[in-house]
Amino acid sequence: QVQLVESGGGSVQAGGSLRLSCAASPYIYSHYMGWFRQSPGKEREGVATIDIWGSTRYADSVKGRFTLSKDNAKNTAYLQMNSLKPEDTAMYYCAADRVDYGLNTGYDYWGQGTQVTVSS
């Protein structure tokens, strides 16, 4: 069982930055992790994922703007979001699993989410 707690969301103007954190217990070194987002009326979509070796993949909509990293010693994953746009507004969720689901939503473990609001 993995428990995930997201933090770092908030309100920012377009062009600004936020860093989301996902604190996991008991550990993440053996898990694939992903960040997803969901807006009202839309399906949850994959934003970024990182494998157990640290390789990352990104949705086309965030490539070059978002960076996913993880610190296994701190059991925490981070999503650095730069050049934010109003269309990035959503609830952001962290997910983890021992299976590589990539940007698909098949992960077993999910956090409660943190809200990101980008104003124009």
Side-chain angles (χ1 to χ4, degrees):
Q1 188 82 7
V2 175
Q3 295 184 334
L4 304 170
V5 178
E6 303 97 334
S7 62
S11 297
V12 65
Q13 289 191 330
S17 299
L18 285 172
R19 189 177 81 154
L20 306 183
S21 298
C22 174
S25 64
Y27 52 77
I28 60 171
Y29 72 89
S30 59
H31 290 75
Y32 297 84
M33 299 192 72
W35 280 96
F36 293 78
R37 65 187 182 187
Q38 188 169 20
S39 303
K42 294 187 178 180
E43 292 188 355
R44 190 169 297 189
E45 64 172 351
V47 174
T49 183
I50 188 166
D51 66 20
I52 58 177
W53 300 279
S55 296
T56 53
R57 286 170 282 179
Y58 299 93
D60 288 343
S61 58
V62 305
K63 278 181 183 177
R65 300 189 298 121
F66 290 12
T67 302
L68 173 56
S69 61
K70 66 174 181 172
D71 185 334
N72 288 334
K74 295 183 178 180
N75 293 314
T76 301
Y78 304 97
L79 184 67
Q80 178 67 44
M81 306 186 297
N82 299 327
S83 302
L84 283 162
K85 304 175 181 180
E87 51 263 44
D88 295 318
T89 296
M91 184 71 78
Y92 282 71
Y93 298 90
C94 176
D97 204 294
R98 290 186 181 273
V99 175
D100 183 7
Y101 287 100
L103 295 175
N104 297 307
T105 58
Y107 291 75
D108 269 349
Y109 306 109
W110 292 85
Q112 294 300 306
T114 185
Q115 178 68 36
V116 171
T117 302
V118 184
S119 58
S120 57

